[in-house]
Amino acid sequence: MNTTLKIVKYQLHDVIRSKWLIFYTIFFFLIAEGLFRFSGDSSKVVISLMNITLIIIPLVSIIYGTIYVYNSREFIELMLSQPIDRRALYVSMYVGLAFPLAAGFSIGVGIPFLITGFHEPGALSIIITLLASGILLTLVFTAIAFFVANLTEERIKGFGFAILIWFFFAVLYDGILLMVTYSFGEYPIERPIIILSMLNSIDLARILLMLQLDISALMGYTGAVFRNFFGSNTGIAVSFASLAVWVAVPFALGMWRFVRKDF
Amino acid sequence: MITIKNLHKRFGKLEVLKDINLSIETGKITAIVGPNGSGKTTLIKCILGLVKPDKGEIRIGDVTLNGHWMYREDIGYMPQTARFPDNLTGQELLRLIKDLRRKNNSPDEEIIKAYKLQSEMNKPVRNLSGGTKQKLNAAIAFLFSPRVLILDEPTAGLDPVSSSSLKDKINKEKDSGKTIILTSHIMSEVQELSDNIVILLEGKKFFDGPVSGIVNGSKETTLERAVARIMRDAQL
């Protein structure tokens, strides 16, 4: 077994037993189950779940990820005094946290769907898209958390920076987009809007879901632009590819920093 | 033999190590002492590859440290503070370290037995006392009979019985030819254990030589008084 897998095995043992992860899984289970009981229609449940997912997953992933790296500081030193490559440790820490978080969300949301919502036509593709966006957002924001926590030694600074990043992408960004659309409405701004949407992973995840659900009324301006510009299928592919870049770039930056850092 | 040549390290504006030149003898115990913030831990971490020097060279035997990690096969490290993943048990932690070391020889579990750690090994690390974590920390450092042992304030947080059995183990390892580097603020401990002493002051090497030499040369009766005198004179 290679070094990364060996460490991942023990990281998983550690994270899976964390009461926070169990709480996170139960939280999604209760929300999804509750929504099914009130609504019963998969599409409506997905839309409500989507709004929760787009806020909660980035927030939990970035905060939990930052705390996790800071709390592992002494353990990282111990690991790095063993004959292992820094890259292997970084990858295993990332996988050891991001995978259980993604699994917690998938299990919490997936079980109510399996029990209640699976009989409806098209439910499978909807739930797969919801799970995929949730998993990708977990990977993106855990990668950002790892980068931020390796950037500065001061916990308070790192933690504040992490929350600021979440606030910017989850709350402020939509306002900025709206302002841009409003101010430059008379110009052909489709392309700049598409680029601006791609620069926000939360927006991408939302567009991905909206295109899959194909509900024009809820698509919003960016969703509609995406569909008109790419068509639904290409739009979905472009969103997926952009989200993959969103995982890869912060992950690579974090690793670059980790390899060069003094512990 | 560990050779350190012209080692420099700076953290931002703070110059932590200033042109350190040092030879650490094989088969001996070398203590690195100095006031808080003098660069002891940074020097140790440079040898471990945890801190990357700005300038200078470190050689362990025939190997020059160049960012590769294989040389750490031969090093056992006991950090100052023990903190492990909360939800792992002691047993799992030891198994992780064993998995990472490629050596097939039977691990040295003398410390685990001496400290009667077996009964604690199935508890999650978060439920262990500070002292027990420190004992686990020591057990990990000695586990693979490494040729070089680096111990950062090894007896801090240990009760007198555990502390003296750790010192016995350190002496036993030295007798079997291991190279041991330790830091400590307890001069009686340094005097009891060490052959050589290195004094660091504000990142500079101030003294490097046998423990007996420093006591005899200073006209003081104990190492503590001799070292205190050197530090006071240096700061004047």
Side-chain angles (χ1 to χ4, degrees):
Chain A
M1 212 195 292
N2 80 21
T3 312
T4 307
L5 286 178
K6 281 178 196 166
I7 307 173
V8 165
K9 195 172 89 183
Y10 291 93
Q11 294 285 108
L12 289 177
H13 276 299
D14 178 41
V15 174
I16 285 169
R17 289 175 200 156
S18 149
K19 57 181 184 300
W20 290 108
L21 183 74
I22 297 165
F23 178 75
Y24 184 63
T25 310
I26 293 173
F27 169 81
F28 275 112
F29 174 79
L30 290 178
I31 296 279
E33 181 64 22
L35 287 171
F36 265 116
R37 287 184 188 249
F38 281 117
S39 158
D41 174 357
S42 295
S43 303
K44 283 183 189 158
V45 173
V46 166
I47 290 160
S48 308
L49 265 177
M50 178 193 80
N51 289 319
I52 297 164
T53 303
L54 293 181
I55 298 289
I56 296 292
I57 288 189
L59 182 65
V60 171
S61 303
I62 203 164
I63 288 183
Y64 198 78
T66 316
I67 294 174
Y68 180 75
V69 174
Y70 282 128
N71 283 350
S72 304
R73 169 74 197 219
E74 288 87 356
F75 182 63
I76 293 173
E77 283 181 23
L78 180 70
M79 283 288 101
L80 291 181
S81 67
Q82 308 301 320
I84 58 166
D85 188 357
R86 284 192 179 201
R87 286 175 198 85
L89 180 64
Y90 189 80
V91 173
S92 45
M93 283 186 65
Y94 176 76
V95 171
L97 181 67
F99 281 29
L101 277 178
F105 160 74
S106 306
I107 293 167
V109 166
I111 290 174
F113 264 93
L114 282 176
I115 299 169
T116 326
F118 219 43
H119 54 275
E120 289 173 42
L124 186 65
S125 65
I126 291 172
I127 177 70
I128 287 174
T129 316
L130 178 69
L131 291 181
S133 344
I135 291 167
L136 281 166
L137 279 181
T138 308
L139 297 180
V140 170
F141 280 86
T142 311
I144 296 176
F146 271 52
F147 176 48
V148 169
N150 279 303
L151 212 53
T152 170
E153 286 303 295
E154 293 167 57
R155 280 166 183 251
I156 303 286
K157 219 164 141 185
F159 202 62
F161 198 39
I163 291 180
L164 212 65
I165 290 174
W166 169 80
F167 186 73
F168 177 75
F169 286 121
V171 183
L172 276 187
Y173 204 88
D174 270 353
I176 295 170
L177 259 181
L178 201 68
M179 258 173 56
V180 170
T181 321
Y182 185 74
S183 311
F184 300 97
E186 289 160 21
Y187 300 93
I189 52 168
E190 280 79 6
R191 274 167 197 266
I193 288 292
I194 285 172
I195 292 166
L196 281 177
S197 311
M198 282 178 171
L199 293 177
N200 181 2
S201 53
I202 300 179
D203 236 9
L204 281 168
R206 193 177 56 80
I207 290 167
L208 187 66
L209 270 162
M210 292 287 97
L211 290 175
Q212 183 67 43
L213 287 168
D214 206 22
I215 307 168
S216 317
L218 286 170
M219 230 171 246
Y221 183 63
T222 47
V225 168
F226 242 76
R227 192 178 57 170
N228 293 341
F229 195 81
F230 293 115
S232 279
N233 286 338
T234 320
I236 289 170
V238 169
S239 317
F240 254 121
S242 312
L243 275 168
V245 173
W246 258 106
V247 179
V249 171
F251 178 81
L253 285 173
M255 176 127 88
W256 178 82
R257 176 84 190 122
F258 187 79
V259 168
R260 280 158 189 78
K261 202 178 151 182
D262 291 320
F263 284 94
Chain B
M1 175 89 91
I2 300 174
T3 323
I4 297 168
K5 272 188 201 159
N6 309 111
L7 196 72
H8 288 263
K9 180 65 194 177
R10 178 185 277 282
F11 291 124
K13 284 180 188 161
L14 192 70
E15 209 177 348
V16 189
L17 295 176
K18 301 169 190 164
D19 198 25
I20 303 284
N21 288 286
L22 201 59
S23 289
I24 292 165
E25 287 177 82
T26 307
K28 297 234 164 119
I29 301 180
T30 303
I32 300 173
V33 301
N36 297 327
S38 57
K40 302 185 294 288
T41 301
T42 306
L43 180 60
I44 280 179
K45 286 183 170 178
C46 284
I47 300 172
L48 283 161
L50 289 171
V51 168
K52 311 213 162 177
D54 298 327
K55 248 196 318 197
E57 186 189 88
I58 301 175
R59 286 175 69 85
I60 300 179
D62 303 329
V63 183
T64 303
L65 270 56
N66 59 0
H68 206 274
W69 43 269
M70 270 306 282
Y71 75 96
R72 290 197 287 263
E73 283 267 306
D74 285 326
I75 298 182
Y77 172 49
M78 181 175 174
Q80 215 173 83
T81 39
R83 200 165 165 194
F84 311 114
D86 281 346
N87 302 307
L88 287 186
T89 63
Q91 195 70 50
E92 285 169 328
L93 196 64
L94 282 188
R95 226 181 296 141
L96 164 62
I97 306 287
K98 284 178 189 170
D99 277 357
L100 291 176
R101 298 265 177 169
R102 285 143 225 259
K103 285 186 176 168
N104 294 323
N105 60 354
S106 54
D108 176 0
E109 296 190 343
E110 198 180 328
I111 289 199
I112 300 173
K113 286 180 192 126
Y115 285 153
K116 300 187 176 67
L117 280 175
Q118 291 98 328
S119 59
E120 307 282 326
M121 293 307 263
N122 291 321
K123 293 180 187 164
V125 173
R126 66 168 181 277
N127 294 342
L128 300 180
S129 71
T132 311
K133 280 186 207 166
Q134 191 66 357
K135 289 175 190 170
L136 192 58
N137 206 6
I140 290 171
F142 287 90
L143 202 57
F144 295 94
S145 311
R147 285 194 296 159
V148 178
L149 277 157
I150 299 178
L151 314 169
D152 199 355
E153 299 195 22
T155 58
L158 291 180
D159 60 73
V161 178
S162 313
S163 172
S164 64
S165 65
L166 182 62
K167 285 182 203 163
D168 290 344
K169 178 69 180 165
I170 295 172
N171 272 322
K172 200 173 157 188
E173 292 301 305
K174 176 196 142 184
D175 293 340
S176 68
K178 306 282 168 60
T179 306
I180 298 167
I181 301 171
L182 60 87
T183 71
S184 182
H185 283 298
I186 311 163
M187 287 307 123
S188 57
E189 184 177 287
V190 172
Q191 192 164 17
E192 183 189 343
L193 285 172
S194 315
D195 303 296
N196 296 323
I197 183 167
V198 175
I199 301 179
L200 291 183
L201 284 174
E202 290 170 3
K204 272 190 180 162
K205 186 183 83 176
F206 213 79
F207 179 88
D208 169 19
V211 172
S212 50
I214 194 172
V215 181
N216 297 339
S218 68
K219 299 174 204 151
E220 295 284 355
T221 46
T222 61
L223 179 66
E224 181 164 31
R225 289 192 174 277
V227 171
R229 188 180 187 141
I230 288 177
M231 288 183 183
R232 255 198 316 270
D233 290 350
Q235 278 157 357
L236 284 176

